[in-house]
Amino acid sequence: MRSLQVKKQLLAFFMPGFLIGILYANCFMKQTIVDTNLFDIEILKKYTEINSFGNIYFLYIVQIRLIPFILLMALAFTKIKKLLMPIVVSGSAFSIGVLLTVAAIKIGMKGVLLRTVSVIPQSICYVPAYLVVLIYCMQYPSRQWSRQKTVFVIGVLIIGMIIEAYLTPIILRSIIRCW
């Protein structure tokens, strides 16, 4: 029963954020989207010529993924923990809505496919890590943080960063080459 309530709450904050992101991109960013070279076919084709991103890219991924997560973890142990789930879920959904809209406007359904494929491999790890923290925040004080949760969260984050740095570029290159 508690699990169903958590899923409903997550969905209740995800869907409005996603729809607002789509509306925002369509109403307020239309000219910016057209003018930018984000998802430009020529740039994407140049991406396929890069052989390896290497360890520098991995360090970049570690930096951009760990800093927000560490901030989330720090806030999860403060009095505002109950506000984190709506903010993080709605904000993430807004970003997803904007990015999918930009991809669709720039290169159509290929862009949506490309954007989706570019996040799914690492999201298999990132989403459970974030959910563990957010569910802890929602269910506090009936649920407590444990060492097992810490090990799980750190482990799947590291695996997700490895996947994002080394596997996702290979998948994206093979998809772009098919175009």
Side-chain angles (χ1 to χ4, degrees):
M1 185 66 175
R2 186 82 166 144
S3 173
L4 184 61
Q5 182 182 6
V6 168
K7 289 177 186 176
K8 285 181 180 179
Q9 286 177 326
L10 289 169
L11 192 60
F13 288 109
F14 182 86
M15 289 310 293
F18 181 70
L19 293 174
I20 291 169
I22 292 171
L23 290 173
Y24 178 77
N26 279 304
C27 295
F28 301 110
M29 294 179 58
K30 193 81 165 183
Q31 191 59 43
T32 305
I33 293 169
V34 172
D35 292 343
T36 186
N37 62 0
L38 188 64
F39 292 106
D40 186 45
I41 295 292
E42 295 306 314
I43 291 174
L44 291 174
K45 287 184 179 178
K46 287 181 183 176
Y47 178 81
T48 63
E49 297 169 6
I50 300 171
N51 292 328
S52 173
F53 289 102
N55 294 334
I56 293 172
Y57 185 57
F58 177 73
L59 293 175
Y60 169 75
I61 295 295
V62 169
Q63 177 184 350
I64 65 168
R65 298 295 176 228
L66 276 186
I67 291 172
F69 193 80
I70 289 170
L71 178 63
L72 175 67
M73 286 297 296
L75 292 172
F77 295 102
T78 66
K79 291 183 180 187
I80 66 165
K81 69 174 60 66
K82 294 282 186 181
L83 295 173
L84 289 178
M85 191 277 296
I87 293 169
V88 170
V89 171
S90 297
S92 298
F94 176 83
S95 297
I96 292 167
V98 169
L99 284 172
L100 286 178
T101 303
V102 170
I105 289 171
K106 290 297 281 188
I107 53 178
M109 287 310 292
K110 286 182 180 179
V112 174
L113 172 70
L114 182 68
R115 187 68 200 133
T116 303
V117 169
S118 71
V119 297
I120 289 203
Q122 61 268 20
S123 293
I124 292 169
C125 295
Y126 293 155
V127 169
Y130 273 83
L131 283 177
V132 166
V133 176
L134 294 174
I135 290 171
Y136 158 76
C137 292
M138 289 170 50
Q139 295 179 343
Y140 182 83
S142 65
R143 302 276 179 162
Q144 298 297 314
W145 192 257
S146 66
R147 186 174 296 146
Q148 290 86 1
K149 288 178 185 173
T150 304
V151 169
F152 173 78
V153 166
I154 291 171
V156 294
L157 275 177
I158 291 170
I159 292 168
M161 289 183 283
I162 291 169
I163 290 170
E164 186 173 3
Y166 297 106
L167 179 63
T168 302
I170 294 168
I171 295 169
L172 289 177
R173 271 190 229 109
S174 63
I175 290 173
I176 295 169
R177 283 186 184 130
C178 292
W179 294 351

